[in-house]
Amino acid sequence: MASPRDRTNDTPTPADESSSKTPVIEIEGEVVDSLPNTMFLVKPIGPNGQPLRIQTGDDAEEEPKAILAHLAGKMRLRFIRVGVGDRVRMQLSPYDLSRGRITWRLRADQRVER
Amino acid sequence: MMSGSIRPKTAEEIEAMGASGRVLAGALNAIEAAVEPGVTTGALNEIAETYIRDHGGIPSFLGVPAADPGIEPFPGAICASVNDAIVHGIPGSAVLREGDIIGLDCGVILDGWHSDSARTLAVGEISPDASRLLDVTRAALAEAIGASVAGGHIGDIGAAVQKLVEEAGLTIVRRFVGHGIGRTMHESPQVPNFGRPGGGPALLPGTTLAIEPMVNIGSAGVVFDDDGWTARTDDGALSAHFEHTVAITDAGPRILTEAA
């Protein structure tokens, strides 16, 4: 007997989250440092697992730069623990690419989405 | 509705589910032999229920609670879904006619272990389109079972179904999904008939799944009858459904709902 599809456990896709509000750039990354006040340094990672270089200034840097990201309010309310080494999904504002907002912590089996 | 983690089964538990599946396959064979123009779906239901009880099993569909409130629990041992009915047709006074296709879905509990299987049959001579629908859906189930290997992912199964069905120019029902199965009929994970290779939970040895492609000739849309159960295509075009309970083992996929 077929089961009705239940979407409550599905991973929200970027389309679900960024409705019609301010445009955001959504990327994945790996947490490289945990800072006070639920801030994290996150190294951007591309869809195929390659390091992503986000150019934040005029100077093209050698090392892919880590982004300073805070934990989204919803994740703080739900006490989602994020630690060094976790894969996360984050949103960047197109106006300031050096700051991010962590919106999702990926489980080990959810890595490399899309 | 379905939650919790995926619990792989031991070799002994898989054997017990296979015993349940053999009773189920026998019941489906018995009703398949009785399908002909003039037979009512209620008569097929009685054949299945009698066969299952005679073999020590319990028909698991009887009394399944509806997903939505205010709808009576499922009243039959089988789902009999004729022509544009996709799944969950209630057996009763409907009479089979030459040229119909009928989806027969049934479940057994034996010694506490569930099995779940379905097949769609032709009543007499059917149209070439209907015949092709049955062939494609049957082949999609075979592809899906072939993709059910340890080390793979749930998404591999859906992707296999999706590729075959869409290349054949038919549509996949997304409103319903296959499911894990074991001590209860519906367990984690969900097994959609569409997906991305490598997506979804990993397939571990011992995982037992009810894999069930539902394929339509026309639209993928679903409408429900007033009984709250019978799901039909919203354009009235034909729909087919094949299902097996499958165990993922180190030696490859094993179909548990086959006759001895």
Side-chain angles (χ1 to χ4, degrees), chain B residues 129-155:
Chain B
D129 280 352
S131 179
R132 181 164 170 273
L133 172 68
L134 300 198
D135 290 345
V136 169
T137 314
R138 195 183 295 112
L141 175 58
E143 283 285 308
I145 293 170
S148 307
V149 291
H153 291 79
I154 289 288

Side-chain angles (χ1 to χ4, degrees), chain A residues 1-6 9, chain B residues 61 88 116 175 177 179 186 190:
Chain A
M1 181 178 263
S3 172
R5 183 171 170 223
D6 175 3
N9 291 325
Chain B
F61 287 9
H88 303 168
D116 190 354
R175 178 71 176 261
V177 293
H179 46 90
H186 292 150
Q190 299 190 44

Side-chain angles (χ1 to χ4, degrees), chain A residues 26-104:
Chain A
E26 191 153 74
I27 59 171
E28 285 178 17
E30 184 183 326
V31 176
V32 291
D33 199 5
S34 171
L35 306 169
N37 274 13
T38 67
M39 301 270 271
F40 299 90
L41 277 179
V42 182
K43 191 175 69 185
I45 295 174
N48 301 315
Q50 82 278 21
L52 265 189
R53 179 177 303 165
I54 308 282
Q55 197 172 327
T56 54
D58 292 330
D59 53 330
E61 286 163 87
E62 288 300 320
E63 280 291 297
K65 198 170 183 178
I67 287 175
L68 186 62
H70 70 269
L71 206 53
K74 263 192 187 173
M75 294 181 72
R76 296 172 68 155
L77 286 176
R78 291 287 179 188
F79 300 110
I80 309 286
R81 312 282 307 226
V82 172
V84 173
D86 281 353
R87 274 289 196 109
V88 294
R89 187 176 294 159
M90 62 181 164
Q91 297 177 345
L92 309 183
S93 159
Y95 307 108
D96 182 0
L97 294 173
S98 66
R99 298 281 189 134
R101 175 171 179 262
I102 297 174
T103 54
W104 198 263

